[in-house]
Amino acid sequence: MSGQTIHLAIVDDHPLILEGLQKLLEGASGIEITGTFGNARDCLAFLATGRADILLLDITLPDASGLDLCREIKEISPATRILALSNHSERSMILQMLQQGASGYMLKNVAADELIRCIREAHEGLLTFSKAVREIMAKPSAAELRETPRLTKREKEILLLIADGKTTAEIAGMLHLSPLTIETHRKNLLQKFGTPNVAAMMKAALQHGLM
C-alpha cells in the first residue's frame, strides 16, 4: 500500500483537538483528511457514502461508546482501519478496543511523528501502538499476575447473570434457588476474584476471558 494516498477521518467531540489534528496532519505527505466529526452519528452517515482508509477514534463521545462505534464501523466498512486516540490509559480498555476490531491505540499525548508512524503502519495492515501504549501493554496487570479463578459451573452461570444486570431476586427466580444462596455465591465470587465490588469483579472477569 505504500505510495498510495491515505484517506483519513477523525472522530472527536473536542473541536480544539479536531482542529489541532488537522493542522498537524495537513503537512504530512500522502495523508488526505476526508472528514472530521464530533459524534458517532455524523461519522456513520459519512461512512455510508464516503471513504476512510484510517479513522482516528476517540473513545468518549457524546452519543455513543467508542467501543460500540468501533464494532459498528467494522461491520459497515470492514476495510476502514481504526486507531483509537484516547486519554484512557487502562490496559483493559486497550484490549477491549482491539477486541472490537481496532488496528491500534494511541494516547492523546502522542508526538506528531509517532502519530504519523502509527497511521502509516495501520495502513500497511499492521497492529500499531504509540510508545506510551506499548509500555502499558508490556506490563502485566495485577489481574493477570493472579491465577485465573476456578469457578464452578453454577458460579459461571451466576457471574454471567450478574453481568447481564440481573438482581439477586431475579437470579434466584431464574435458577430456582433462594436469594440467600445467590448472595452466598456472589460473596464467593468476589472472594475468588479478590475484588471489593461487582464492577471490579466484572473487569477482572473480562481480563481473565471468563465473559
Side-chain angles (χ1 to χ4, degrees):
M1 288 190 182
S2 57
Q4 290 184 9
T5 297
I6 300 170
H7 295 88
L8 179 89
I10 309 168
V11 187
D12 196 296
D13 65 335
H14 292 91
L16 281 175
I17 290 175
L18 284 177
E19 189 181 332
L21 286 169
Q22 279 181 283
K23 285 182 178 175
L24 199 68
L25 295 167
E26 272 172 2
S29 64
I31 296 176
E32 180 187 333
I33 298 173
T34 54
T36 61
F37 312 98
N39 57 58
R41 183 188 66 251
D42 293 345
C43 169
L44 291 171
F46 166 78
L47 288 173
T49 54
R51 174 181 173 184
D53 302 317
I54 301 290
L55 188 138
L56 298 182
L57 174 62
D58 187 13
I59 291 174
T60 307
L61 296 169
D63 59 342
S65 151
L67 290 164
D68 293 337
L69 182 58
C70 182
R71 183 175 63 249
E72 197 168 347
I73 290 168
K74 292 305 289 186
E75 285 172 1
I76 65 171
S77 182
T80 297
R81 295 196 168 98
I82 298 164
L83 289 176
L85 184 61
S86 175
N87 285 322
H88 291 283
S89 58
E90 299 89 353
R91 183 182 167 89
S92 59
M93 180 60 77
I94 298 167
L95 292 171
Q96 285 180 71
M97 279 301 290
L98 297 178
Q99 286 165 0
Q100 299 306 327
S103 293
Y105 199 106
M106 299 171 291
L107 297 184
K108 284 188 175 178
N109 63 1
V110 64
D113 58 340
E114 266 195 291
L115 174 65
I116 293 166
R117 171 184 62 78
C118 287
I119 290 169
R120 296 196 194 285
E121 285 183 354
H123 192 239
E124 293 292 336
L126 302 173
L127 195 61
T128 184
F129 305 104
S130 63
K131 184 174 179 286
V133 173
R134 282 203 305 270
E135 288 171 0
I136 293 165
M137 296 297 285
K139 294 175 185 173
S141 65
E144 287 169 319
L145 291 172
R146 290 196 298 268
E147 285 187 12
T148 300
R150 292 184 180 181
L151 306 183
T152 65
K153 187 178 177 183
R154 178 66 83 191
E155 284 170 342
K156 285 180 184 175
E157 196 173 15
I158 291 170
L159 177 71
L160 292 173
L161 288 170
I162 292 171
D164 202 32
K166 298 288 187 286
T167 65
T168 294
E170 287 171 333
I171 296 171
M174 292 170 74
L175 300 181
H176 307 292
L177 297 169
S178 73
L180 184 61
T181 301
I182 301 302
E183 276 303 310
T184 301
H185 279 301
R186 188 191 287 261
K187 286 173 185 172
N188 288 342
L189 282 165
L190 288 169
Q191 193 172 10
K192 283 190 175 185
F193 280 101
T195 50
N197 53 50
V198 169
M201 180 172 74
M202 293 298 108
K203 184 176 177 181
L206 272 171
Q207 289 173 331
H208 284 295
L210 293 172
M211 287 168 57

